[in-house]
Amino acid sequence: MTTTWRCAPLAVALSAMLLLSGCEQKTDPNHIKVGVINGAEQDVAEVAKRVAKEKFGLEVELVGFSGSLLPNDATDKGELDANVFQHRPFLAQQNHDHGYKLVAVGNTFVFPMAGYSKKITSLTELQDGAVIAIPNDPTNLGRALLLLKKVGLIDLKEGKGLLPTSLDISANPHNYQIMELEGAQLPHVLDDPKVAVAVISTTYINQTGLTPTKDGIFIEDKESPYTNIVVARADNKDAQNVQNFVKAYESDEVAKAAEKIFNGGAIKGW
């Protein structure tokens, strides 16, 4: 996070810690540090970076991450001003689990989760006892289970909202075996002869050249509650640099870029 410092005169003998504590920190309104997930999502953010510079004179510093465990922590600690990678249910779970004070400040895209297979071409071919791989993080696990319920493969206990677990499966008449894996591993198990179907988010399936609308044998629709968001802290959500970045992201230029980069797999969320 780029900052400027204004300090009262201090004795040379004071420690660096005391020096910092005696300074007033100000956020630079013309610079912002934003966490993104490496790959296609960063490619989209690069377009927002260009728009932010052209329209608002805002210098955007993008910081890439390989997974979803670190960007919120870095944002909460002030190492980032904002991040772009998650939807509201995931943010709510992260705030609950870690005590973060992070808030949504803008919408980006719905990246539909879908079921993919190199063994079958439709659900009518899915055999009893087949292995279905799904994400293991709480939010995307629940999202995948809700999608399996929607297409009629399982049923879930009532009242679990957006965060059911495998323990909440109330009916599994075809005895499907649910395998929970890290999201980044799911594209690789498509080649595993033991796995019939893998439920994968657009973030990870994009690495394979597959797309949900063309290659998914079942898919979330546009009414999904999982629209991705721009996230900042409660204490900087109204800052000029954050607001200008949101405006840059919610632009026609970014929407067109995402349509091309995700090959139709990104639905505009604003």
Side-chain angles (χ1 to χ4, degrees), residues 51-104:
V51 173
K53 178 64 175 177
E54 293 174 354
K55 292 188 176 181
F56 306 106
L58 178 66
E59 295 286 350
V60 179
E61 180 181 352
L62 298 176
V63 180
F65 293 84
S66 60
S68 60
L69 299 180
L70 297 178
N72 278 337
D73 189 64
T75 305
D76 188 70
K77 290 178 178 176
E79 297 166 3
L80 300 172
D81 298 301
N83 66 59
V84 186
F85 75 95
Q86 64 197 309
H87 43 61
R88 283 175 173 80
F90 185 86
L91 175 62
Q93 188 66 38
Q94 288 270 292
N95 281 339
H96 176 270
D97 291 347
H98 301 284
Y100 298 149
K101 296 181 179 179
L102 302 176
V103 296

Side-chain angles (χ1 to χ4, degrees), residues 126-168:
L126 194 60
Q127 297 181 0
D128 288 1
V131 175
I132 301 174
I134 64 175
N136 65 358
D137 65 276
T139 303
N140 285 307
L141 169 65
R143 182 178 181 180
L145 290 172
L146 289 169
L147 181 55
L148 295 181
K149 176 183 177 180
K150 179 179 178 180
V151 297
L153 299 184
I154 62 171
D155 203 358
L156 297 167
K157 297 175 183 176
E158 296 293 331
K160 296 300 179 179
L162 297 176
L163 293 173
T165 71
S166 295
L167 296 176
D168 298 316

Side-chain angles (χ1 to χ4, degrees), residues 115-117 119-120 123 126 131-133 190 195-199 217-218:
Y116 300 86
S117 178
K119 321 297 189 306
I120 63 174
L123 288 178
L126 194 60
V131 175
I132 301 174
L190 290 174
V195 177
V197 176
V199 181
I217 58 174
F218 54 90

Side-chain angles (χ1 to χ4, degrees), residues 6 14 22 27 91 121 123 127 135 141 147 149 151 192 194 198 223 236:
R6 186 165 66 248
L14 289 177
T27 300
L91 175 62
T121 58
L123 288 178
Q127 297 181 0
L141 169 65
L147 181 55
K149 176 183 177 180
V151 297
D192 186 333
K194 298 178 182 177
E223 303 304 322
N236 77 328

Side-chain angles (χ1 to χ4, degrees), residues 39-49 62 109 111 249 254-255 257-259 261-262 266:
E41 290 187 39
Q42 183 165 354
D43 293 341
V44 174
E46 289 285 354
V47 180
K49 175 180 177 177
L62 298 176
F109 299 93
F111 298 103
Y249 207 106
V254 171
E259 173 71 19
I261 290 169
F262 287 98

